[in-house]
Amino acid sequence: MTVPTDEPPSGRDRLRELLDAVLDEDSTRLADMADRAHSSPFHFSRRLSRDTGESPVALRRRVLLERAAWQIGQGSSVTDAAFAAGYESVEGFIRAFTRAFGHPPGATTAGSGRWLPAPNGVHFHPPIHLWVEGNPRSRPAMDLTALQVHHDVDDTALLIRLAAELPEEDYRKVWSPGCTVLTWDGPEESIAATLEHLVRSKEVWLASIEGSDFPARGSDDPASLMSRHEEAGARWIAAVDDMGRRDAWGDRLIDALCDPPESFLLGGVVAHVLTYAAHRRQAVRHMLRSAGAEVGHGDPLEWLQNRNERRGDTP
């Protein structure tokens, strides 16, 4: 009987063989991975964990989630990506994806280049390859910028939904006469105007970041605003996530949409958008209360607590 061994014949790249075993399409269990690597589950798990700082199962799950994010960004359905990643149910995949990336699969956009934190720098590289970072970067347990960005997007969606329940006259009524947040944007005296500026700010900055044409102004009725916000919010999350992954906060954007063109630091752009978005969301809250609507505080503490409870992350 041949006893599985942890040592390969000379001249073979054992770590690469272990990674191949982990990511083989048929390696759905630890025992499958070990068999493919001609090792015992104990030795296989010990060697891979020692060399990569990550257990075989955790590494496979993470890389397949990265692949799923890329597939969805390329147009794959969430259902197809879920089963391709080895999940038995779409619901389980959505929970795992949301927990890992901080947003549901449906918010994934093309070209976002999403990598999850990894102790070893091993990542999915499209279409079928691996990428190994020379100096893998880790993230803190809580990414404060991501928290603020996701809270802003979620809270804006909530406010648009509440505004949609108002009569048209209250939605467009001048509740804050003379209110101007930024002089170049003009007055924001109604719920409709303030929400429109809240959504349009991201549309305009995304056009600058992506190098696209100045966006046409869309409709400002609640249904149209929600559609615009869902599209811009997903792109905004992807753009900021990419800045963080590349540590590109100090990169400089030459904004050709300005006349004359101006130069901005990417970190400053994100801070600008978050600052005025927070102001506008609270302004909308004051107007909604004046119209008789019940609306919460918009506190990120409450939002985070509620989200964690929905995800089952709290005791």
Side-chain angles (χ1 to χ4, degrees):
M1 180 179 72
T2 302
V3 178
T5 177
D6 195 32
E7 299 302 325
S10 60
R12 285 168 54 186
D13 184 344
R14 184 55 168 168
L15 179 57
R16 177 55 201 247
E17 289 182 351
L18 297 177
L19 291 174
D20 286 344
V22 168
L23 299 172
D24 184 82
E25 291 293 336
D26 296 326
S27 295
T28 58
R29 301 173 303 144
L30 178 60
D32 299 329
M33 301 176 197
D35 284 346
R36 177 173 172 78
H38 307 292
S39 178
S40 68
F42 171 79
H43 284 102
F44 177 82
S45 183
R46 184 185 68 173
R47 173 66 183 270
L48 193 83
S49 298
R50 183 190 70 195
D51 290 353
T52 68
E54 198 171 18
S55 73
V57 173
L59 190 151
R60 176 182 174 82
R61 182 186 304 117
R62 177 180 57 77
V63 172
L64 290 184
L65 280 174
E66 291 177 345
R67 185 182 71 174
W70 175 78
Q71 290 171 332
I72 293 170
Q74 295 298 305
S76 173
S77 70
V78 172
T79 299
D80 288 344
F83 291 124
Y87 286 82
E88 296 182 356
S89 72
V90 176
E91 292 77 13
F93 170 75
I94 292 174
R95 287 194 299 270
F97 190 102
T98 303
R99 184 177 294 110
F101 287 102
H103 63 82
T108 302
T109 57
S112 56
R114 296 184 179 279
W115 280 350
L116 294 168
N120 43 52
V122 176
H123 298 283
F124 170 74
H125 183 60
I128 57 173
H129 306 292
L130 288 179
W131 185 281
V132 182
E133 293 180 285
N135 297 295
R137 297 178 294 274
S138 60
R139 293 184 183 175
M142 176 178 287
D143 186 327
L144 183 57
T145 302
L147 184 151
Q148 292 177 302
V149 167
H150 284 276
H151 172 248
D152 169 45
V153 170
D154 282 0
D155 197 43
T156 300
L158 169 65
L159 294 174
I160 296 174
R161 287 196 297 270
L162 291 173
E165 299 173 0
L166 296 176
E168 177 75 6
E169 61 184 78
D170 286 343
Y171 179 62
R172 300 193 180 278
K173 180 178 177 178
V174 173
W175 295 102
S176 300
C179 177
T180 299
V181 178
L182 293 168
T183 54
W184 54 83
D185 284 336
E188 302 183 28
E189 303 171 314
S190 67
I191 294 171
T194 309
L195 285 175
E196 202 280 333
H197 285 145
L198 185 55
V199 172
R200 182 162 176 78
S201 174
K202 293 184 179 65
E203 294 174 332
V204 172
W205 279 111
L206 282 166
S208 296
I209 292 169
E210 297 168 354
S212 54
D213 294 335
F214 194 82
R217 188 176 292 276
S219 300
D220 68 349
D221 61 279
S224 297
L225 273 183
M226 181 60 78
S227 177
R228 290 170 57 189
H229 172 65
E230 289 177 349
E231 195 272 339
R235 288 165 55 212
W236 176 245
I237 288 172
V240 177
D241 182 81
D242 183 60
M243 294 175 203
R245 181 181 63 80
R246 295 185 295 108
D247 195 21
W249 307 116
D251 288 4
R252 195 166 287 277
L253 165 70
I254 307 300
D255 188 356
L257 299 181
C258 295
D259 186 17
E262 293 189 50
S263 171
F264 304 100
L265 291 176
L266 287 181
V269 170
V270 175
H272 168 90
V273 172
L274 289 173
T275 296
Y276 290 104
H279 177 87
R280 284 169 167 143
R281 295 198 318 270
Q282 292 310 309
V284 170
R285 278 186 160 78
H286 291 311
M287 290 187 275
L288 284 170
R289 293 188 187 107
S290 297
E294 293 186 6
V295 57
H297 299 98
D299 189 339
L301 283 174
E302 295 176 355
W303 169 80
L304 186 62
Q305 180 70 19
N306 292 335
R307 190 182 72 159
N308 286 343
E309 288 176 353
R310 290 194 301 270
R311 285 163 46 177
D313 289 351
T314 55

